[in-house]
Amino acid sequence: MYQFSYADIQTDSVADARDRERQLLGRSIDMLIKASEAGANSNEAIAALNFTNRVWTSLMDDLGNPENALPKELRANLISIGLWLLRESEDIRQGRSESFEGLIEVSQIIRDGIQ
């Protein structure tokens, strides 16, 4: 009979968290693609930008937590990317940009890099 150890539970929790992060980023990407097709002033854009901002704000909060197991430099780099994404979102929201391409591409890269 196999007994679970704390390490197994912790590994499963990390794997589950990463899977949830990939799913959230995937949903954000799907919404951003639809927003891009509908236009920067559409309801789809508003929903996609709000969702993307919530996802990245949550990710950055987690990355800023000293208990986060990722290396400090990687966490700092991901926070910088998150801040860039939030600025790009705000540029679209304020009418300074109409392009979702950067948001989509960078989010895809991050999603695909989560292991």
Side-chain angles (χ1 to χ4, degrees):
M1 177 182 209
Y2 182 79
Q3 292 186 351
F4 291 99
S5 69
Y6 178 73
D8 292 331
I9 295 169
Q10 189 174 24
T11 300
D12 287 344
S13 296
V14 170
D16 290 345
R18 289 181 179 159
D19 187 50
R20 281 190 302 275
E21 290 168 352
R22 277 192 298 274
Q23 289 177 11
L24 286 171
L25 287 169
R27 182 169 178 217
S28 172
I29 292 163
D30 291 343
M31 292 176 76
L32 290 168
I33 290 169
K34 289 178 183 169
S36 178
E37 293 166 354
N41 295 318
S42 66
N43 288 333
E44 290 85 354
I46 293 167
L49 294 171
N50 286 336
F51 185 79
T52 299
N53 286 350
R54 286 195 316 268
V55 168
W56 276 98
T57 299
S58 177
L59 289 173
M60 290 187 308
D61 285 345
D62 182 55
L63 290 163
N65 184 334
E67 294 180 16
N68 186 299
L70 290 175
K72 188 175 184 177
E73 185 176 345
L74 176 57
R75 291 184 359 223
N77 288 339
L78 289 169
I79 289 170
S80 293
I81 290 167
L83 291 171
W84 178 84
L85 284 160
L86 294 178
R87 282 193 304 273
E88 288 294 305
S89 291
E90 188 61 20
D91 283 349
I92 294 170
R93 189 184 330 272
Q94 295 294 324
R96 294 186 293 261
S97 174
E98 293 186 7
S99 176
F100 290 82
E101 286 182 41
L103 292 171
I104 294 166
E105 290 176 14
V106 170
S107 295
Q108 288 171 328
I109 291 167
I110 299 301
R111 179 204 56 203
D112 295 347
I114 296 174
Q115 300 175 355

